[in-house]
């Protein structure tokens, strides 16, 4: 009987350990902890170039930290930016006005004369209506329009003294001036005023919608109906009604310029209704521009940032007025004379014949 030979039992070979591997560096002495030196750590520790790079990066980091500290210190002492032909006021008085706000009562008179602006006939022979033309931006625009050769009708609510001062300055610039008091919320007033101006000047070429009502309200629940309607009917209703009234008198080459606001772009938490109307003005501008373009009538809008006019002192508390404009990019509010050249640019067929439907920001920076 043949016997079967058993195959030899193969023993498992012990794993080979390469010299220099992690395993070979394991120290198993019972009286000290197990320590593992990784190849990465060893390489980093042994490469002087890597150490120099790391040290250089830390130095750069420290330099930036120091710059940040210096910048933070400067930020607490922010100075206002002056970028114009003459230095403009930076500190506003702590003063509150009764509505609607009279410019002659302001302790710091807004600057509107733009003495460094030289007229060159850009609006020669043209006839303009400016609502809210008694003060602020409206007055500054009226003066420069006249300097450029236009006749100007100033529409205002009941600020007769301010409106008379505007008339005097328009006439000094060589323009004819008509002053009309009334409420742009009333379509009958709008129609009557437009007819009066067209008769006095023999026509109308430019409408500047600028009248506004602003009153802060910290909580939407506290916004009363009368307050809301005053804002809506003045700021957007009045703009639409004035444009509707003036359109039959406008021909090719005429223009409408609306005054919007940075609040219509970014909003303002204490001016919910005002912000909404300014956003509506921007949309109204674009829509009307599309409608009137085939008729050769341009429609544009200027969106100011903070501007020193009676509007804000007739809204805010005196201590808030003293801080007005300091949070703008330029660290100060604009003066009306810094806004008015933008209106001249958009009104002039020489400058802006190919511009319609734009919202021109004049905010003292990208954010205002």
């Amino acid at each position: 009987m043949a016997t079967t030979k058993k195959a030899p039992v193969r023993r498992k070979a012990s794993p080979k350990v390469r010299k220099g591997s992690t395993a070979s560096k394991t120290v198993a002495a019972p009286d000290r902890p197990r320590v593992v030196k990784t190849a990465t750590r060893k390489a980093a520790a042994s490469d002087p170039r890597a150490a120099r790079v790391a040290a250089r990066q830390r130095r750069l980091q420290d330099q930036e930290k120091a710059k940040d500290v210096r910048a933070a210190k400067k930020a607490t002492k922010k100075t206002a930016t002056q970028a114009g032909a003459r230095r403009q006021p930076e500190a506003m008085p702590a003063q509150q006005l009764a509505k609607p706000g009279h410019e002659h009562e302001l302790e710091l008179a807004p600057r509107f004369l733009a003495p460094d602006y030289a007229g060159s006939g850009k609006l020669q022979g043209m006839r303009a209506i400016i609502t809210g033309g008694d003060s602020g931006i409206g007055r500054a625009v009226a003066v420069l329009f006249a300097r450029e050769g236009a006749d100007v009708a100033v529409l205002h609510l009941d600020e007769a003294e301010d409106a008379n001062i505007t008339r005097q300055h328009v006439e000094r610039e060589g323009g004819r001036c008509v002053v009309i008091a009334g409420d742009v919320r009333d379509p009958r007033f709008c129609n009557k005023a437009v007819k009066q101006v067209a008769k006095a000047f023999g026509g109308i070429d430019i409408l500047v919608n600028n009248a506004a009502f602003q009153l802060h309200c910290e909580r939407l629940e506290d916004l009363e109906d009368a307050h809301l309607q005053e804002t809506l009917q003045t700021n957007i209703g009045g703009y639409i009604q004035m444009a509707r009234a003036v359109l039959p008198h406008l021909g090719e080459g005429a223009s409408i310029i609306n005054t919007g606001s940075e609040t219509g772009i970014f909003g303002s938490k204490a001016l919910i209704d005002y912000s909404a109307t300014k956003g509506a003005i921007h949309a109204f501008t674009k829509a009307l521009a599309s409608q009137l373009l085939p008729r050769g009538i341009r429609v544009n809008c200027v969106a100011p940032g903070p501007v020193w006019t009676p509007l804000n002192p007739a809204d805010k508390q005196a201590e808030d007025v003293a801080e007005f404009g300091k949070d703008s990019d330029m660290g100060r509010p604009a003066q009306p004379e810094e806004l008015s050249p933008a209106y001249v640019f958009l009104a002039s067929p020489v400058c802006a014949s190919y511009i319609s439907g734009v919202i021109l920001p004049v905010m003292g920076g990208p954010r205002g």
Side-chain angles (χ1 to χ4, degrees), residues 95 97 100-112 134-140 159 162 165-166 308-310 336:
Q95 180 185 13
L97 301 179
H102 296 272
E103 185 156 317
H104 68 271
E105 294 178 355
L106 279 172
E107 293 174 8
L108 177 64
R111 292 184 173 184
F112 62 90
D134 55 286
S135 62
I137 294 172
R139 175 185 286 179
E159 306 91 340
D162 285 345
I165 292 172
T166 302
W308 183 240
T309 74

Side-chain angles (χ1 to χ4, degrees), residues 68-79 323 326:
D68 290 343
V69 171
R70 291 194 296 270
K73 288 180 179 177
K74 287 182 179 178
T76 60
K77 300 177 181 179
K78 184 177 179 181
T79 56
E323 299 297 313
K326 288 185 179 180

Side-chain angles (χ1 to χ4, degrees), residues 200-223:
F201 292 160
I204 302 170
D205 305 289
I206 304 164
L207 168 64
V208 176
N209 272 320
N210 179 67
F213 176 81
Q214 173 186 308
L215 184 62
H216 71 278
C217 182
E218 297 295 338
R219 290 169 16 107
L220 185 59
E221 305 95 305
D222 298 331
L223 181 63

